């Protein structure tokens, strides 16, 4: 019997893989529903994902999962447009022609920008660039003007004022993923979505898990995970679960907080990452806000990371003839911005959109929602991939499979699935982990 802590995508995939091997699995999570970052929410009279999600044609792990749980036919790909908001102007930014038309860059600047993208996607080993600063790398290939006008504002919007401390491997991984949306690396971008949003995925995944005997304990936070000679105790609310092993898929700071018996070295490993989170304002509006799915923001005065118009991908008919727009803001965990009221954040989002789309006002908004997640991805510092937190702890009965184990990739569903599969394969190589899994039924006590 194994307890999986966390019912986000990582926890659900871990539970699926373990149950498929014949393990008895119980998932526990403080939320009253499964899904983590992929949970749905109500925005006006529409229900859709509370954070924006997209599937690329190169996301093989996600596409394989959809086929495995019987909903591959719900995946749809569409060609979409990307924009760039720069110097107070909205410009198309979908392919080579758009790039060549940018008046903010010279011909040499544009050539160097293309060279940067091609180099990041096709040349060099990422482990080499793990130790190289992102600005050093981008300046070498793009030149100082392109860094100042394009790269620095984009990086600042994603990573805050400490963006210069990131490794080049981060931007290379980001470029590779985004280029995965382009056929042959150029031209029109194709993005995918699951009809009905990620709630479609979660329903199918939960049905499959329950058919395999997986149990769910939701709505109470895990307070403590302790190992003993015969197994583990997992304190959840007023209950204590007793099992053979525990697999933690929650962020590293949470792991450190709920496992009191970790060594000082393990706590150091779990605490070395500075996490970033996101505040995401969702707006349902009764007017069309352009045809671009993504609007990248290279404007230092813009308070949000970008603009995602889900209606440009899914179609307005899915949202009652309206546009569903996400306006995310990435912040370091613990930033004061997480405490901003919903009213303040919605007002900021409306004011920001009014700068980009002329004539847009609060009167156009018919529904809003605000979602917060304080620990989404670790800051991609220099050399980070060489010092990932280990899957195995000093207790053979407690292991970790979370986003901190992503090596070079940016956080997304497909790479989350991959890192869980890789972590479970690593754990399978441990005789102590396998031995600890022999034969205990779940017991509960108050």
């Amino acid at each position: 019997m194994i307890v999986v802590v966390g019912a986000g995508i990582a926890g659900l995939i871990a539970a699926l893989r373990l149950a498929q091997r014949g393990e008895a699995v119980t998932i526990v999570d403080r939320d009253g529903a499964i899904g983590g970052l992929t949970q749905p929410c109500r925005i006006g009279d529409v229900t859709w994902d509370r954070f924006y999600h997209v599937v690329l044609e190169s996301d093989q792990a996600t596409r394989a999962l959809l086929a495995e749980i019987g909903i591959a036919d719900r995946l749809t790909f569409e060609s979409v447009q990307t924009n760039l908001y720069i110097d107070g102007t909205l410009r198309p930014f979908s392919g080579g022609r758009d790039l060549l038309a940018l008046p903010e860059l010279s011909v040499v600047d544009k050539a160097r920008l293309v060279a940067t993208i091609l180099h990041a996607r096709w040349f060099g080993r990422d482990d080499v660039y793990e130790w190289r600063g992102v600005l050093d790398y981008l300046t070498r290939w793009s030149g100082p003007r392109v860094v100042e006008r394009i790269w620095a504002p984009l990086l600042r919007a994603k990573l805050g004022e400490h963006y210069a401390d990131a490794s080049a491997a981060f931007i290379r991984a980001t470029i590779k993923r985004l280029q995965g949306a382009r056929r042959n690396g150029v031209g029109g971008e194709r993005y995918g979505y699951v009809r009905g949003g990620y709630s479609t995925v979660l329903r199918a995944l939960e049905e499959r898990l329950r058919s395999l005997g997986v149990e769910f304990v939701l709505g109470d936070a895990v307070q403590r995970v302790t190992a003993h000679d015969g197994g583990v105790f997992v304190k959840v609310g007023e209950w204590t679960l007793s099992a053979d092993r525990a697999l933690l898929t929650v962020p590293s700071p949470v792991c450190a907080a709920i496992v009191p018996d970790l060594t000082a070295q393990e706590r150091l490993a779990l605490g070395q990452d500075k996490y970033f989170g996101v505040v995401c304002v969702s707006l349902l509006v009764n007017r069309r806000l352009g045809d671009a799915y993504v609007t990248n923001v290279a404007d230092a005065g813009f308070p949000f990371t970008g603009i995602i118009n889900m209606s440009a991908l899914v179609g307005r008919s899915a949202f009652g003839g309206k546009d569903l727009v996400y306006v995310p803001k990435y912040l370091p965990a613990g930033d004061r911005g997480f405490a901003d009221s919903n009213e303040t954040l919605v007002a900021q989002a409306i004011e920001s959109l009014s700068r980009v789309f002329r004539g847009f006002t609060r009167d156009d908004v018919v529904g809003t929602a605000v979602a917060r997640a304080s620990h989404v991805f670790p800051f991609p510092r220099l050399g980070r991939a060489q010092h990932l937190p280990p899957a195995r702890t000093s207790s053979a009965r407690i292991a970790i499979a979370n986003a901190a184990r992503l090596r070079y990739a940016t956080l997304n569903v497909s790479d989350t699935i991959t890192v869980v599969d890789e972590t479970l394969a690593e754990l399978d190589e441990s005789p102590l982990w396998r031995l600890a899994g022999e034969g205990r039924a779940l017991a509960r006590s108050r």
Side-chain angles (χ1 to χ4, degrees):
M1 163 65 201
I2 182 168
V3 172
V4 174
V5 179
I9 287 296
L12 296 175
I13 295 302
L16 177 64
R17 300 294 182 241
L18 292 165
Q20 287 170 334
R21 301 176 187 180
E23 298 264 16
V25 182
T26 294
I27 300 176
V28 297
D29 197 288
R30 66 181 180 180
D31 284 343
I34 66 170
L37 297 175
T38 61
Q39 287 180 9
C41 76
R42 193 75 175 168
I43 310 155
D45 59 358
V46 165
T47 297
W48 201 258
D49 308 335
R50 63 180 183 138
F51 298 104
Y52 60 95
H53 299 283
V54 72
V55 181
L56 305 187
E57 290 182 306
S58 57
D59 287 346
Q60 295 303 318
T62 299
R63 300 181 70 176
L65 174 66
L66 298 181
E68 183 179 348
I69 61 178
I71 57 171
D73 61 330
R74 304 296 299 273
L75 178 62
T76 300
F77 285 93
E78 300 287 350
S79 295
V80 296
Q81 178 181 324
T82 295
N83 280 347
L84 178 69
Y85 183 67
I86 183 171
D87 291 346
T89 303
L90 197 61
R91 301 193 182 281
F93 198 62
S94 293
R97 290 183 180 179
D98 295 335
L99 191 154
L100 292 174
L102 279 178
E104 288 82 6
L105 300 179
S106 70
V107 173
V108 173
D109 291 336
K110 295 167 186 175
R112 296 191 71 171
L113 179 56
V114 170
T116 305
I117 294 170
L118 292 176
H119 183 269
R121 187 176 187 191
W122 298 112
F123 300 99
R125 288 169 34 206
D126 284 332
D127 59 344
V128 173
Y129 291 97
E130 178 69 20
W131 293 97
R132 187 169 180 179
V134 64
L135 290 185
D136 179 51
Y137 174 76
L138 291 174
T139 302
R140 163 70 175 82
W141 285 95
S142 291
R145 178 171 171 78
V146 177
V147 169
E148 177 186 358
R149 303 287 287 152
I150 303 293
W151 291 119
L154 294 178
L155 286 166
R156 184 181 291 110
K158 182 75 172 182
L159 299 175
E161 293 304 319
H162 297 288
Y163 70 93
D165 297 329
S167 80
F170 167 77
I171 197 65
R172 285 170 57 87
T174 302
I175 289 171
K176 288 176 184 177
R177 174 162 170 77
L178 294 178
Q179 286 293 298
R182 297 188 176 187
R183 290 188 167 182
N184 299 321
V186 296
E189 296 169 324
R190 282 173 56 83
Y191 289 89
Y193 66 94
V194 178
R195 293 193 294 280
Y198 256 88
S199 61
T200 301
V201 181
L202 295 178
R203 284 194 301 271
L205 191 48
E206 181 178 1
E207 181 179 341
R208 178 61 57 87
L209 288 167
R210 290 192 184 278
S211 73
L212 292 169
V214 175
E215 296 186 359
F216 296 82
V217 177
L218 304 175
D220 279 315
V222 173
Q223 300 170 14
R224 188 167 59 255
V225 180
T226 55
H228 57 87
D229 289 343
V232 294
F233 292 132
V234 181
K235 183 74 165 59
V236 186
E238 296 182 356
W239 291 93
T240 296
L241 309 182
S242 179
D244 294 310
R245 292 162 296 166
L247 180 66
L248 282 55
T249 65
V250 290
S252 294
V254 179
C255 295
I258 64 177
V259 184
D261 297 330
L262 293 173
T263 66
Q265 185 175 0
E266 287 169 333
R267 292 186 179 282
L268 182 63
L270 290 172
Q272 65 185 341
D273 281 317
K274 179 179 182 180
Y275 271 80
F276 269 64
V278 62
V279 173
C280 189
V281 180
S282 306
L283 303 170
L284 191 66
V285 302
N286 59 11
R287 62 166 287 181
R288 194 174 188 88
L289 297 184
D291 297 319
Y293 169 62
V294 177
T295 296
N296 295 304
V297 176
D299 191 310
F302 199 84
F304 292 91
T305 303
I307 303 167
I308 311 295
N309 189 340
M310 193 60 62
S311 297
L313 173 62
V314 177
R316 303 184 91 219
S317 61
F319 308 116
K322 303 176 181 66
D323 275 11
L324 175 58
V325 180
Y326 293 91
V327 191
K329 178 189 297 187
Y330 289 90
L331 301 167
D335 190 278
R336 291 180 298 176
F338 284 105
D340 287 344
S341 68
N342 288 0
E343 292 77 13
T344 296
L345 291 165
V346 168
Q348 288 178 355
I350 292 173
E351 191 279 329
S352 298
L353 289 176
S354 69
R355 292 164 52 185
V356 179
F357 303 102
R358 293 180 181 177
F360 175 78
T361 70
R362 180 181 290 273
D363 292 338
D364 294 314
V365 180
V366 296
T368 66
V370 178
R372 298 172 177 82
S374 60
H375 292 78
V376 175
F377 64 92
F379 183 85
R381 68 184 188 281
L382 292 178
R384 182 185 176 277
Q386 309 304 316
H387 299 91
L388 299 179
R392 288 170 282 186
T393 70
S394 52
S395 168
R397 298 183 180 276
I398 301 174
I400 298 172
N402 62 13
R405 291 183 53 75
L406 283 167
R407 189 170 297 276
Y408 302 117
T410 56
L411 183 66
N412 58 76
V413 170
S414 195
D415 287 318
T416 298
I417 296 170
T418 298
V419 82
V420 169
D421 286 338
E422 291 176 348
T423 300
L424 290 177
E426 180 181 333
L427 290 173
D428 284 342
E429 296 176 358
S430 169
L432 292 176
W433 172 260
R434 295 199 308 271
L435 181 63
E438 294 183 353
R440 170 186 293 272
L442 177 69
R444 304 187 187 193
S445 62
R446 285 187 181 274

